[in-house]
Amino acid sequence: MKFVASYLIALFNKEDYISACVKSILDEQTSEIDIEIIVVDDGSTDKSYQVALELSRRFKCIKLYSFKKNRGFTIQ
């Protein structure tokens, strides 16, 4: 039986770190565990979105979503 591990990455202005973060997660994949990565860019003003977009093109297990404007942390 194969398991799926899902990871959610909240991304805002971390272009220097997103690749290493994704690589660290992908290193967890085994023959028994599939990886799913969901990246949500919260209106980054650096190149975070572009880096994440390139990663999502290289790795099919990455799903990328983006807000055009930063929504910040909210509790409702």
Side-chain angles (χ1 to χ4, degrees), residues 26 35-37 55-63:
L26 291 174
I35 299 292
E36 170 188 50
I37 302 172
L55 289 166
S56 71
R57 289 178 177 158
R58 286 180 49 209
F59 302 101
K60 299 294 183 202
C61 64
I62 299 175
K63 294 172 179 58

Side-chain angles (χ1 to χ4, degrees), residues 38-55:
I38 301 163
V39 179
V40 180
D41 179 68
D42 193 17
S44 293
T45 56
D46 64 358
K47 294 183 180 177
S48 294
Y49 178 79
Q50 290 84 357
V51 173
L53 181 61
E54 179 57 34
L55 289 166

Side-chain angles (χ1 to χ4, degrees), residues 1-68:
M1 180 172 179
K2 209 160 190 179
F3 296 93
V4 176
S6 297
Y7 294 83
L8 175 62
I9 301 173
L11 180 63
F12 180 73
N13 289 347
K14 296 294 182 191
E15 69 179 283
D16 293 337
Y17 303 100
I18 186 63
S19 293
C21 178
V22 167
K23 181 188 179 319
S24 175
I25 293 169
L26 291 174
D27 286 346
E28 297 297 318
Q29 189 159 335
T30 68
S31 60
E32 298 169 349
I33 301 172
D34 279 337
I35 299 292
E36 170 188 50
I37 302 172
I38 301 163
V39 179
V40 180
D41 179 68
D42 193 17
S44 293
T45 56
D46 64 358
K47 294 183 180 177
S48 294
Y49 178 79
Q50 290 84 357
V51 173
L53 181 61
E54 179 57 34
L55 289 166
S56 71
R57 289 178 177 158
R58 286 180 49 209
F59 302 101
K60 299 294 183 202
C61 64
I62 299 175
K63 294 172 179 58
L64 176 62
Y65 301 92
S66 178
F67 296 114
K68 297 298 179 195

